[in-house]
Amino acid sequence: MTESADFLFELGTEELPPKALGRLSAALTEELLAGFTEAGLPFGAYHSYAAPRRMAVLVHDLAKTTPAQDVERRGPAVASAFDADGNPSRALVGFAKSCGVEIGELTQLDTDKGSWLVYRHTQKGRPAAEIIPAAIERALAKLPTPKRMRWGTGTAEFIRPVHWAVVLHGTTVVDTEIMGLKAGRETYGHRFHHPAALVIDQPAHYATILENKGHVLADFDERRARIQAQITTVAQDLGGQAQVDPDLLDEVTALVEWPVAIAGRFEESFLQVPHEALISTMQDNQKYFPLVDAQRRLMPWFITIANIDSRDPSAVRAGNERVIRPRFADALFFWNEDRKHTLESHLEPLKTVVFQQRLGTLFDKTLRVEQLSAYIAELIGADKAMARRAARLCKCDLQSQMVGEFPELQGIMGRYLAAHDGEPAPVAQALDDYYLPRRAGDALPAGDVAQAVALADRLDTLVGIFAIGQGPTGAKDPFALRRAALGVLRILVEQALDLNLKDLLEQAAKGLAQSVPEAADHVLSVFEFITERQHRYSLDRGIRADVFAAVAAVGCTRPLDFEQRMIAVNHFLTLPEAEALAAANKRIQNILKKQGNTLSGAVDNALLVEPAEQALFDKLTSIEPVIAAFMAGNDYNGALTALAALRAPVDAFFEGVMVMADDPALQQNRLALLQRIGALFLGIADLAQLNG
């Protein structure tokens, strides 16, 4: 058994970028282990550590050498290795010399294809001390750090200056140089609590030494859990509950080595400001955790995570309170100023804000969205007047001072200001909700007024940008059209709005006709673009690509209808008749395709001379009205289940009937029968597209 020992690599740096720390740590571990694996160096369990000033990897049971290997080198064939006098050929002499042995040390390998002279030996394993430096160098080079820097007088480059490196295999320091520094066994603790060096005697003691002596919690997950627990305890002591955003918690965890939760307070007068603005300031600017009461109302408290166990926590608290106060005062000033004017008063100034040079200003876009919103509202049964009003106001908050200070609150401030002006609740809510979904997996606009405006705004952008030739190319999508298309799809599908997408796009193009006359020519391109998004959308939810293709082949223009058909085909595939019927449908389509457009006429019952074709016709005639009823109600699942009853008579037909009969009348009649069956399937999906 190969001897092994625990291994530790730690890279000590200046404070690493907090939002990148997790990604960097994971990549370091992955690439380091990949280097060991490629070199054939066995290892056991492993653990990653990541803190603001360090990344480390602990690997248990890393072998001290790679395993010895039995090596066999094949030389010349025995038949050509010696001449007629038994003297070795030049090829044999050269082979033995290259192996570093005498000819007599070679052995013979006999196979059914002939005999060869071979050199067999056991190759010693490579020492880990030779492999580790290269593995570390490889791992550091492959880290996802596009912007690297230099420091001091050296030539080393990294995302932050490197100050120390620990490389231990067992109790032995691996002789290597990293980023211009000689590796050792000394790490460093907390910048203030223990700035002196700490000696790591063996890898397994790394985390314990740092915590007990250095005031550093090196384990990211452990540090995160401790912060979470501290926040919960402090919030409970204050009679509230902390709002803990997972991303903010990760960022704060990456900012501190020795977390200490401290509560701070602000004046209750600031609570008259929309809470989203206060929360945004606390979370985004100050990295604080807001507190809410049992009714989810914001409390005049926050929790900050200090990176030091201060002897005077009150001073830390006062400092944080002092920092937050002017930010809140600014927010209160802007909020008071915005309420001095109606939201609609900001409509006229939108004439000075360019949306896109050819597509006009935000005022122009607002008028287009207003018209399209009213059209959509009528289709979905929403209040047209409210939809118009919401669309007219939907961009106005962009001119407010609050959104100028807090751009992330666009829409939210529109809702607050509209409510302050006494606008109807559905209108005010729509000004916020029409932005939904803002990101993948986000909620959707709940009210029908908001749905109408959300669809209109996105459709106007999609058609307009495509019409001026600035649609997405490769990875570039400056107008976020992919996200807009997915938003349209999610609203239509997940909120069961059975609207014709082509019709909506044509209406959007009409609104753009004055500024971009050629907009109507791009409707098909936008439709195909959104359909491609629906393909990705369906794949993400486990719908097979061939199922999508089968439905797409019949030319659906209503995304909800498209979705319902895919779900029905997915269910159909679970039926025992599915595979045989899909194969039969493919056969039918192939036969009909060869006939081109020459088929015409109904099935003549008198020409159904074979029992199998008569039975198929009878079964077809009996289920057609059943399927028609299902189709009328968009019940594609019921229709396909009913079609499954055709499996047996279709199988019998193909087994017992010659479709391409010599008699032209019989042939045409049988083709007409197949055409009727094929049309039933194509009414739902082209099952010939299915892979089985």
Side-chain angles (χ1 to χ4, degrees), residues 30 37 56 71 144 177 204 209 238 251 298 423 427 459 506 638:
E30 180 182 347
T37 300
V71 178
E177 189 176 281
I209 290 172
L238 294 170
E251 187 176 355
L298 190 65
E423 297 287 347
V427 171
L459 292 168
E506 287 167 359

Side-chain angles (χ1 to χ4, degrees), residues 413-551:
M413 293 316 307
R415 168 166 54 84
Y416 275 105
L417 293 170
H420 178 264
D421 292 345
E423 297 287 347
V427 171
Q429 191 61 45
L431 301 187
D432 187 2
D433 280 5
Y434 92 96
Y435 281 97
L436 298 175
R438 289 180 173 89
R439 64 192 70 86
D442 199 6
L444 299 174
D448 52 10
V449 172
Q451 291 165 0
V453 180
L455 288 170
D457 184 56
R458 289 168 171 82
L459 292 168
D460 175 80
T461 299
L462 283 159
V463 176
I465 299 301
F466 265 84
I468 61 173
Q470 293 192 29
T473 56
K476 294 182 179 179
D477 187 9
F479 291 93
L481 298 187
R482 293 185 179 94
R483 187 171 64 197
L486 182 58
V488 168
L489 287 169
R490 288 193 60 205
I491 292 169
L492 293 177
V493 171
E494 296 178 31
Q495 297 190 301
L497 302 180
D498 196 13
L499 303 182
N500 188 314
L501 181 57
K502 269 192 177 176
D503 173 59
L504 297 180
L505 294 171
E506 287 167 359
Q507 288 297 320
K510 288 178 182 177
L512 287 155
Q514 187 172 353
S515 54
V516 190
E518 65 270 28
D521 299 333
H522 294 270
V523 166
L524 182 59
S525 297
V526 181
F527 177 79
E528 291 173 348
F529 174 74
I530 297 177
T531 301
E532 175 57 28
R533 289 298 96 200
Q534 186 158 19
H535 187 198
R536 304 305 313 171
Y537 174 57
S538 63
L539 287 176
D540 290 343
R541 291 172 300 116
I543 294 176
R544 288 171 20 182
D546 60 333
V547 171
F548 177 89
V551 176

Side-chain angles (χ1 to χ4, degrees), residues 55-295:
M55 292 188 295
V57 183
L58 172 65
V59 181
H60 293 287
D61 301 321
L62 181 69
K64 293 191 173 181
T65 64
T66 59
Q69 291 182 310
D70 290 332
V71 178
E72 179 180 278
R73 284 185 61 189
R74 183 180 295 190
V78 172
S80 60
F82 300 93
D83 61 18
D85 298 327
N87 298 314
S89 66
R90 292 180 61 185
L92 178 56
V93 172
F95 174 69
K97 185 177 180 180
S98 69
C99 295
V101 296
E102 299 295 328
I103 292 175
E105 296 179 61
L106 301 177
T107 57
Q108 183 169 316
L109 172 67
D110 297 318
T111 71
D112 55 358
K113 294 182 179 180
S115 299
W116 285 266
L117 290 172
V118 298
Y119 171 56
R120 295 187 177 98
H121 71 287
T122 300
Q123 182 175 296
K124 292 182 179 180
R126 287 178 61 202
E130 291 181 7
I131 296 170
I132 289 171
I136 292 174
E137 183 178 355
R138 161 217 163 102
L140 293 176
K142 288 197 170 188
L143 290 185
T145 54
K147 292 184 179 179
R148 299 190 175 216
M149 60 184 294
R150 290 185 181 181
W151 59 95
T153 58
T155 59
E157 293 184 350
F158 197 57
I159 192 170
R160 290 292 185 270
V162 176
H163 293 309
W164 75 87
V166 176
V167 185
L168 282 179
H169 194 191
T171 58
T172 304
V173 174
V174 178
D175 184 16
T176 185
E177 189 176 281
I178 297 169
M179 301 284 179
L181 297 171
K182 189 74 173 175
R185 63 171 70 250
E186 289 187 344
T187 185
Y188 290 82
H190 191 281
R191 190 182 290 277
F192 303 111
H193 286 303
H194 197 293
L198 290 165
V199 175
I200 306 297
D201 57 342
Q202 54 182 288
H205 295 166
Y206 170 72
T208 303
I209 290 172
L210 275 176
E211 180 175 359
N212 294 344
K213 296 183 179 181
H215 275 69
V216 172
L217 279 176
D219 187 294
F220 186 94
D221 292 336
E222 183 183 348
R223 204 165 61 254
R224 189 180 194 273
R226 186 172 296 189
I227 293 171
Q228 176 81 69
Q230 289 181 6
I231 290 172
T232 301
T233 300
V234 172
Q236 288 175 346
D237 291 344
L238 294 170
Q241 180 181 344
Q243 282 194 356
V244 181
D245 178 80
D247 291 337
L248 177 59
L249 181 58
D250 284 342
E251 187 176 355
V252 170
T253 303
L255 284 168
V256 298
E257 291 186 319
W258 193 253
V260 178
I262 296 175
R265 185 178 175 85
F266 57 87
E267 290 84 346
E268 292 192 24
S269 60
F270 290 131
L271 291 176
Q272 63 183 289
V273 177
H275 292 175
E276 290 88 347
L278 302 180
I279 290 171
S280 175
T281 294
M282 285 189 273
Q283 291 182 335
D284 298 342
N285 300 118
Q286 301 305 126
K287 313 305 176 188
Y288 296 163
F289 297 93
L291 266 66
V292 295
D293 61 19
Q295 286 73 44

Side-chain angles (χ1 to χ4, degrees), residues 365-374 391 394 453 456-457 460:
K365 180 173 176 61
T366 297
L367 296 184
R368 295 195 301 267
V369 172
E370 184 180 355
Q371 293 296 320
L372 189 53
S373 295
C394 70
V453 180
D457 184 56
D460 175 80

